[in-house]
Amino acid sequence: MAPPIVLLHGLATSSARTWGETGWLDLLADAGRETVPIDLPGHGVAPKPHDPDAFRDLEGLVLSQFPDEPADAIGFSLGARILLTIAAANPERFNRLVVAGVGTNLFERDEERGRRIAAAVGGEEDPEDPEARHFHALADADDIDRESLVAMMKTPRPDISGDVLSAVTMPVLVVLGDQDFAGPADPLVDALPDATLKTLRGVDHFATPKSFDFIDAGLEFLGANPF
């Protein structure tokens, strides 16, 4: 029997918006695959705490919702980062892993950018910053709690390095648009022991989840193409 598939969204969105509205969940169901879509705290149907301490073990909270058996997994942006961190510490919990919307940005800490995005999801508008403006719009959704997201962003995530990623031994598909601010993907692909790169032509960060090329590549990699 094919393993279940865990799906983890990015910042200021949800499983319903990232994987449901884009057709992923329907296609995986058509392929006969069990799915485990997880909402991060502050997002979707998950609890929405305002205390930063509630986010200190975000990776452990996500892992606690995994199936008991080894799973396939798909993560986008923040969800991809969290899944890579979990996979490095618990490779036995994974069969195959797809990560999208991440690359060089995993190895670099841009504090000024982080402040701009935190301000945007917190409710501040900056018409001069298209990226911040997009995150502001995402966080306007009814299933998002802005204060909870700000608390989450105040809590540092574990560092990611080549040494950390050397423990991610399962096959990994890295998907990145050639217009994505997270790129290039080369440092991530080089750091992973068994990685394949799929470049999405003419696709930026926010268009990635609905990219047909991403969907096709991800389903094929996981052996879940219903066609």
Side-chain angles (χ1 to χ4, degrees), residues 137-158:
L138 286 174
D140 257 344
D142 291 340
D143 61 354
I144 296 296
D145 185 295
R146 289 186 181 274
E147 188 174 346
S148 186
L149 266 60
V150 171
M152 182 177 70
M153 294 188 73
K154 289 180 178 177
T155 308
R157 302 270 47 87

Side-chain angles (χ1 to χ4, degrees), residues 128-145:
E128 303 301 321
D129 186 339
E131 183 185 352
R133 191 166 65 244
H134 198 107
F135 276 111
H136 180 276
L138 286 174
D140 257 344
D142 291 340
D143 61 354
I144 296 296
D145 185 295

Side-chain angles (χ1 to χ4, degrees), residues 38-51:
I38 297 174
D39 279 331
L40 294 169
H43 303 73
V45 299
K48 298 176 172 61
H50 294 169
D51 183 354

Side-chain angles (χ1 to χ4, degrees), residues 50-215:
H50 294 169
D51 183 354
D53 284 341
F55 299 92
R56 297 213 177 273
D57 188 21
L58 196 54
E59 291 74 20
L61 178 62
V62 170
L63 183 59
S64 72
Q65 300 175 68
F66 267 50
D68 292 335
E69 67 271 32
D72 289 338
I74 310 171
F76 171 64
S77 195
L78 175 60
R81 180 191 182 100
I82 291 171
L83 288 178
L84 284 167
T85 302
I86 295 172
N90 307 271
E92 75 283 354
R93 302 296 298 272
F94 291 80
N95 180 53
R96 285 179 166 250
L97 175 59
V98 178
V99 293
V102 287
T104 300
N105 67 320
L106 292 177
F107 305 95
E108 301 174 349
R109 190 180 298 276
D110 187 338
E111 294 185 2
E112 174 56 30
R113 176 179 175 272
R115 283 192 290 270
R116 294 199 315 271
I117 301 307
V121 300
E124 295 183 22
E125 294 191 69
D126 184 352
E128 303 301 321
D129 186 339
E131 183 185 352
R133 191 166 65 244
H134 198 107
F135 276 111
H136 180 276
L138 286 174
D140 257 344
D142 291 340
D143 61 354
I144 296 296
D145 185 295
R146 289 186 181 274
E147 188 174 346
S148 186
L149 266 60
V150 171
M152 182 177 70
M153 294 188 73
K154 289 180 178 177
T155 308
R157 302 270 47 87
D159 287 337
I160 289 181
S161 66
D163 287 343
V164 169
L165 293 177
S166 67
V168 182
T169 51
M170 75 291 306
V172 180
L173 176 65
V174 178
V175 182
L176 193 67
D178 61 4
Q179 305 298 313
D180 196 320
F181 59 73
D186 299 11
L188 175 58
V189 174
D190 292 345
L192 292 165
D194 185 2
T196 302
L197 174 62
K198 172 64 178 180
T199 300
L200 307 176
R201 304 298 177 190
V203 176
D204 67 14
H205 188 77
F206 301 108
T208 296
K210 61 186 177 184
S211 163
F212 291 127
D213 287 343
F214 173 29
I215 294 171

Side-chain angles (χ1 to χ4, degrees), residues 17-52:
R17 285 191 279 156
T18 301
W19 311 116
E21 293 178 4
T22 55
W24 279 92
L25 295 180
D26 287 340
L27 288 168
L28 290 169
D30 289 345
R33 298 296 292 271
E34 176 190 353
T35 57
V36 184
I38 297 174
D39 279 331
L40 294 169
H43 303 73
V45 299
K48 298 176 172 61
H50 294 169
D51 183 354

